[in-house]
Each structure stands twice: as C-alpha cells, then as structure tokens.
Amino acid sequence: MSNLRFSELGLSAEILKAVDKMGFEEASPIQTAAIPPIMAGEDIVGLSSTGSGKTAAFAIPMVEKIDPKMRKVQILVLCPTRELAVQVAEEVAKISLFKRGVHAVPIFGGQSYDRQFRALESGVQIVIGTPGRVIDHIERGTLRLDELKMLVLDEADRMLDMGFREDIERVLTQVPTEHQTLFFSATMPRQIEELIRKYSRNPKRIKIEAVAQNAPQVDQVYFEVERRSKIEVLTRIIDINDFRYGIVFCSTKVMVDELDEHLHARGYATERLHGDISQAQRTRVMDKFRRRGFEFLIATDVAARGLDVDDLEVVFNFDLPNDAEDYTHRIGRTGRAGKSGKAFTFVSGRELYSLQNMIRYGKLKIRREKIPSLDLVEEARENQFFEKLRSTLDAAEYRKQDRLIDRLLEQGYASTDIIAAVIHMTIGGEGDKKTAPPAQIDLPPEKADWKKKPFADKPKKQGKPDNAGRQNKSAFKTAKQKYDRPARTGREAGFVTLFFNVGRKQLVTPADIVGKVAGVTRLPADVVGAIDIHQRHTFADVREEHAELIIEKVNGIRIRGESACVALADPEQME
C-alpha cells in the first residue's frame, strides 16, 4: 500500500489544519493503514516499531471521534511509562489544537493527586495514563468510564514486560461492553494474543514490516547530538569532508524552511523542496540541482520521492525517517552505479531508541562516530587548501604577480609573511564564505568529556574564566570574521538604526544578527553596518533602502531561541 496524504484520509478541516501546522505532508505507513479502519469503528491490532508514527495513527482518529459537547471521559490511553504518557498527551494537544472543546490530561505516578483530581473534575474527554495510576483513580471514583468509546493500549508488549498484565485486565473489565479497542505493539508475544482474543472483536491486524536492504556502497554513520546543535554538526561534517553535492532530508516542511534559512546565512548554496513548492518551482529547482547549480537540496521525503539524480556525494538524515524502509530509500540516492557514497544520520533524545529499533529490525549497518571537533575542521580546511594550492603550482595555472610582490618586498615585508597574509585572506579571513561562529555542541551526559573536547567546552559561570574558555574564545574570533562588525560610535551615511529585542542575555553575537538578516532576506551581509549589543537588546545599522524589508522578514524569526521583534530605533533609546 502506498502512503496517502492526510487530505486523502477523510479528516476534518480542523485536523488537517493542525497536521499542516505540525509540518507533516504525508501519512506514514502505519497511519495510512490504521486511520481509515479506526475511523470506521473497527478494533485494531497494530504491529509497528517505535518511531513509525503510531501515536498519530491512533491520536488523529480518536480526536476526530470525540464529542466536544460531552464533558466526560470518552477515550482512555494506557502507556507503560510516565514519559510516554506525557509524549502522547503532547501529541494529542497538537492534533486537537483547532478542535474546540477537546481536553486531554496525562495521569501517572509521582505527580500531584490534587492536580489530577482538578483536571478530571473539569470534564476531560481524553485520559492518557499509566496502568497503576489509572486503576487508583478508578477505585477512588475520580475516573469514571461509563461513557468510554475507545481504549488504546500503546506499547502493549512493554506494559506486559513491566508486569502490568493484571492492571490492564482490571481496566479492561471496567469499560463498557460497547467500545473500540486498539492494541499497538512492536512485537506480538503470547500474552498479548491472549488479551486480544479475550477483549477485542474481530480486530483488523496491521503489520508494518521494518525490513530493509542495506546499500552496500554507502558508508553509514550516525551522531548522537542535541537538536539545537544539529546545524553546527551538519556544517562541520560538510566542511571536514569538503562535500559539494548532496541532499539533506527533514521530516517536516517547517524544518526544511528553517534549515534552508540557516544554511544560507552561513554561506552554503542551498535550495528547498517540499509539498508547498509549486510544480513550476520544483522543476526549476531540480533542473538547477542536476546541473550542480547549488550544493545542497533540503527536502522532505514526499518532495524528494522519485528524484532521478546521479553522483550524489552524501545524504544527510537531519531528522530520523519513519522506518528502516524509508531510511534505505533515502540513503540509496548516493553510492549508485558502483560508486561509493556517504550517509550521516543525526539523532537526539528518544530518537536514539527509534534508530536502534530500525537497526535491529531492518538489519542495518550504521556505526556511531564522535562529533568532529573544531580543530579537526580547521585541519581539514587547511589540508584542502594545501592540495588546491599545490595543484595550481604544479599546473602553473596562475598569473605572475612579480610587480606586486616586488613592491611588498621593497617595503621590507618578508616573503613568508606575504604568503601567510595571502593564505589568511583566502581561508581564514573575509574571503571565507562559511565562517559562522562555532556553536556549543551538547553531548550525551554519559559520553561527555568536557576538558578534552574543544568543541564542547563546559559552560562556566560568569566571572570564572578558565583556559578552556579562553581557548574557545580564541577559536570563536578566528571563525567569525565574515560576520564581525565594529561597535556603534555613530551612524554612517545611508544607514538607519534598527532595534532588536535580544542581547547579551540571549548570548547574541554580531554573527547572529548579520547571519539572520542575510539568511531570511537573501541580501548581502554588508547591508548590516555597525552593531551595538546590550544586555537585553541590540542596535544595528542597516542600509536605509533595505530597512523596511529587513523589519518585515526578520520579525518573528527566532534568534538564539527568542522570537525577534525588530523596529526602527527610537533616538531616545540610543542615548
């Protein structure tokens, strides 16, 4: 069965609007297979690995089936852990965002009873909880299931492994006879089969196979890194390998737009492709990509389906795909026709468990590697420049500059200093297009070695600088020169001053301001002049003819995690 778009699943306008806001274009295999029969009222047994999108597979139809006018519990979801209960509740909140009157609450052990009592008394329709706490509320009389329409057992195999069978059966005996039962599990042990036979009615069985063939010519690597550091890791890998032609896959349209913006700000040649791009624009982008008119295509799976592109150097999974099959489909775009290719996957938080499941069920061969340090990136850039310089010298493909060199020598400059200055201007100064300041990289706590990894210096409290901090500051100065700006001492002619609502408190640097302006407006970096950063705000001079465009485009864009508010500066503010 081919995946369907959400608009083809017969969903309401409110749900489609919420799904679109979440950035998803196409239903995953489990969602495509499960949503229609659940909407039709059938019992379901869904076999699908973690990370396949099964939460939305039951959350979307259950929100659709809620009667918002009836303030009684209509849906009960049982989860093995409090973390999963919270995750499901968050997903339900996003899906029900535009459906008025729908309320959900997670209940689990370790949380205040009073808070749960108040939530249940307020008239929620959806309860997501762990078996023990759900039984507790049933026995106290604070959770009544008289009007229950649907019972969902999420990760049923894990609940049984954790010894919840007795609690599950006690819940199942408390629900009305006429209700819909949904079992979702990664495996199907005998105990679950027994529960299915006893408590469900002719369930429809849906099994999403997580079997994939490895791409033999593709070198596959994954990095465990915090989400906020993914862009920095991506650019380091690109620079250290000198990649010039590849695809970066993201899971949502929103992430495609954001990543395209950030990479443009750092000087990489990119274009984006997702479901909101018109066919004419899509054709233009793909024709340009095949001609190598830019370096990296940032795309969703839907937009990239059916792409016929050869000789890709690399594929990046910026976001983890739904399953092993999608993973293999992505990375199979490199390493074709007997050539070798590379595939890099970034995982953060719970995604690591999803990746491990994909590796196990799909028999994938993906090895873990450490994030490359700034020192390795600088060394790689130097080596690349050295090889290009040597090739140019060997081929004698350059114009003699004897007159200019003689002038410098006559003024007393040493030949080695002249060469060093030229190299600095070429790879370490304003001529370098990819010199955004290095970001802090967050390693998993158990893997971190803060003293030995210059790319992940442990943050220190203010007033307590150390050698590692000075070393990182030095690296920052070397890498930020393109975006550096003088402090404001007076406005230049032809410039106006803009006010930004972010400053030192948000760790804002001149590179953040210049990079963001250049990235979202596609204007050259020199439209920004002098910058003056204060504790809670920043003044930046910009060319007067572009001021209106910059205010329009940058307003609302996130700078260092803060939604930007940009306006013409009040002269009194600058005094």
Side-chain angles (χ1 to χ4, degrees):
M1 175 187 285
S2 60
N3 294 348
L4 298 177
R5 298 179 76 88
F6 285 103
S7 57
E8 300 176 286
L9 294 174
L11 303 175
S12 67
E14 294 87 351
I15 298 297
L16 290 176
K17 186 177 179 181
V19 170
D20 184 67
K21 182 177 176 64
M22 293 165 71
F24 295 110
E25 300 176 285
E26 183 183 72
S28 70
I30 185 65
Q31 292 161 5
T32 298
I35 289 176
I38 296 175
M39 292 289 290
E42 295 184 55
D43 285 5
I44 291 292
V45 176
L47 282 179
S48 181
S49 61
T50 302
S52 60
K54 61 181 174 56
T55 302
F58 63 76
I60 288 175
M62 79 185 193
V63 171
E64 285 280 43
K65 294 167 80 72
I66 287 291
D67 179 0
K69 297 178 181 178
M70 185 169 69
R71 303 297 295 273
K72 294 184 179 181
V73 177
Q74 300 169 46
I75 310 284
L76 175 62
V77 183
L78 293 182
C79 302
T81 65
R82 68 185 68 182
E83 291 80 13
L84 183 58
V86 171
Q87 181 181 334
V88 172
E90 290 173 349
E91 189 89 351
V92 170
K94 293 175 185 176
I95 292 168
S96 61
L97 181 63
F98 299 103
K99 191 162 183 178
R100 294 185 178 181
V102 175
H103 301 281
V105 62
I107 59 174
F108 46 82
Q111 189 184 46
S112 164
Y113 271 102
D114 288 340
R115 180 178 301 169
Q116 294 175 5
F117 290 154
R118 289 195 298 271
L120 293 169
E121 288 172 2
S122 68
V124 298
Q125 294 102 349
I126 303 173
V127 171
I128 304 113
T130 51
R133 184 56 65 97
V134 167
I135 287 291
D136 196 1
H137 279 286
I138 290 174
E139 291 178 345
R140 289 170 179 264
T142 51
L143 174 59
R144 299 183 61 85
L145 304 177
D146 309 43
E147 303 295 333
L148 195 77
K149 297 178 180 179
M150 182 188 297
L151 174 64
V152 182
L153 278 72
D154 190 15
E155 298 200 9
D157 51 353
R158 284 188 64 191
M159 284 195 283
L160 293 180
D161 289 342
M162 295 170 69
F164 285 131
R165 174 163 182 166
E166 184 179 340
D167 287 341
I168 292 172
E169 293 211 59
R170 288 175 67 187
V171 172
L172 287 165
T173 59
Q174 298 292 320
V175 300
T177 304
E178 294 298 321
H179 75 278
Q180 194 175 359
T181 306
L182 313 180
F183 288 86
F184 283 89
S185 181
T187 60
M188 187 54 63
R190 180 179 54 82
Q191 288 181 304
I192 292 182
E193 286 284 7
E194 293 173 357
L195 290 176
I196 292 169
R197 285 196 299 269
K198 189 174 180 181
Y199 295 103
S200 64
R201 303 165 297 173
N202 301 317
K204 181 179 180 64
R205 293 176 180 265
I206 299 170
K207 186 175 183 179
I208 304 300
E209 297 286 353
V211 178
Q213 298 294 323
N214 265 302
Q217 300 298 323
V218 180
D219 183 28
Q220 303 167 56
V221 173
Y222 79 89
F223 298 96
E224 188 180 354
V225 58
E226 290 296 322
R227 170 162 285 277
R228 63 180 178 177
S229 300
K230 282 186 177 183
I231 294 174
E232 175 65 20
V233 176
L234 173 65
T235 56
R236 287 188 189 182
I237 296 170
I238 290 173
D239 290 349
I240 204 169
N241 292 280
D242 197 26
F243 290 131
R244 299 296 178 90
Y245 194 47
I247 298 180
V248 185
F249 284 102
C250 301
S251 61
T252 69
K253 296 177 289 186
V254 174
M255 193 62 243
V256 167
D257 290 339
E258 289 185 1
L259 183 57
D260 178 59
E261 170 194 318
H262 281 290
L263 291 181
H264 261 291
R266 291 176 178 233
Y268 297 88
T270 64
E271 291 284 353
R272 53 188 175 147
L273 210 61
H274 57 59
D276 287 350
I277 303 294
S278 68
Q279 184 58 47
Q281 179 78 351
R282 174 191 173 94
T283 301
R284 185 194 66 78
V285 169
M286 286 312 305
D287 287 346
K288 187 177 179 181
F289 190 49
R290 292 188 183 97
R291 299 194 308 269
R292 296 202 176 203
F294 56 93
E295 296 172 313
F296 297 100
L297 178 68
I298 318 297
T300 58
D301 287 296
V302 176
R305 184 164 292 126
L307 294 185
D308 183 17
V309 182
D310 295 324
D311 299 328
L312 287 180
E313 296 177 315
V314 64
V315 168
F316 290 98
N317 294 307
F318 194 83
D319 295 319
L320 198 64
N322 283 324
D323 51 37
E325 185 177 356
D326 283 349
Y327 171 85
T328 304
H329 187 68
R330 286 182 179 184
I331 70 169
R333 299 179 185 281
T334 184
R336 291 181 173 181
K339 297 181 181 180
S340 61
K342 288 184 177 292
F344 297 93
T345 300
F346 301 153
V347 293
S348 59
R350 299 188 188 98
E351 290 179 341
L352 180 60
Y353 300 104
S354 300
L355 179 64
Q356 289 171 343
N357 282 329
M358 284 169 48
I359 292 172
R360 183 166 64 253
Y361 292 118
K363 300 180 177 62
L364 303 173
K365 296 179 181 178
I366 315 174
R367 71 180 185 278
R368 174 178 177 152
E369 285 193 358
K370 293 181 179 179
I371 298 166
S373 68
L374 282 175
D375 288 344
L376 286 176
V377 174
E378 290 301 317
E379 181 181 348
R381 291 174 62 206
E382 288 176 5
N383 291 338
Q384 291 158 14
F385 178 78
F386 176 82
E387 291 301 326
K388 291 176 183 177
L389 181 60
R390 188 177 65 175
S391 298
T392 302
L393 289 168
D394 290 343
E397 296 175 347
Y398 56 90
R399 189 175 63 178
K400 298 291 185 180
Q401 300 289 345
D402 294 348
R403 182 168 170 272
L404 181 60
I405 293 171
D406 287 343
R407 285 177 61 191
L408 291 169
L409 291 171
E410 287 171 1
Q411 293 186 25
Y413 295 104
S415 58
T416 53
D417 288 340
I418 296 172
I419 295 171
V422 172
I423 291 175
H424 171 75
M425 291 170 63
T426 305
I427 67 171
E430 295 183 1
D432 182 16
K433 70 170 183 174
K434 298 170 183 174
T435 52
Q440 179 76 17
I441 301 295
D442 295 308
L443 293 177
E446 70 277 7
K447 303 294 182 183
D449 185 354
W450 302 104
K451 294 182 180 179
K452 295 181 181 179
K453 294 182 175 59
F455 62 88
D457 293 322
K458 185 175 180 180
K460 299 292 181 180
K461 295 181 179 179
Q462 292 183 356
K464 294 184 179 181
D466 62 357
N467 291 334
R470 285 191 291 273
Q471 178 184 356
N472 201 39
K473 183 176 180 182
S474 175
F476 173 83
K477 286 181 178 178
T478 302
K480 76 180 180 70
Q481 292 178 14
K482 171 186 173 182
Y483 296 102
D484 208 0
R485 292 294 187 275
R488 293 183 68 261
T489 56
R491 187 189 304 160
E492 298 178 60
F495 282 75
V496 296
T497 303
L498 299 185
F499 169 87
F500 291 75
N501 65 326
V502 290
R504 285 194 296 269
K505 183 178 180 182
Q506 289 80 24
L507 304 179
V508 165
T509 67
D512 294 317
I513 302 298
V514 180
K516 192 64 68 174
V517 169
V520 300
T521 64
R522 304 296 171 87
L523 294 170
D526 62 6
V527 301
V528 182
I531 294 176
D532 189 10
I533 301 177
H534 296 259
Q535 183 65 19
R536 289 182 172 82
H537 64 273
T538 296
F539 295 117
D541 291 347
V542 302
R543 294 193 182 276
E544 188 171 3
E545 63 268 27
H546 299 304
E548 186 175 345
L549 174 65
I550 293 170
I551 292 172
E552 177 187 347
K553 293 290 188 181
V554 180
N555 256 311
I557 297 295
R558 301 189 76 80
I559 300 178
R560 288 285 181 175
E562 190 79 25
S563 182
C565 179
V566 187
L568 284 172
D570 185 338
E572 294 183 1
Q573 292 177 306
M574 297 183 284
E575 292 179 355

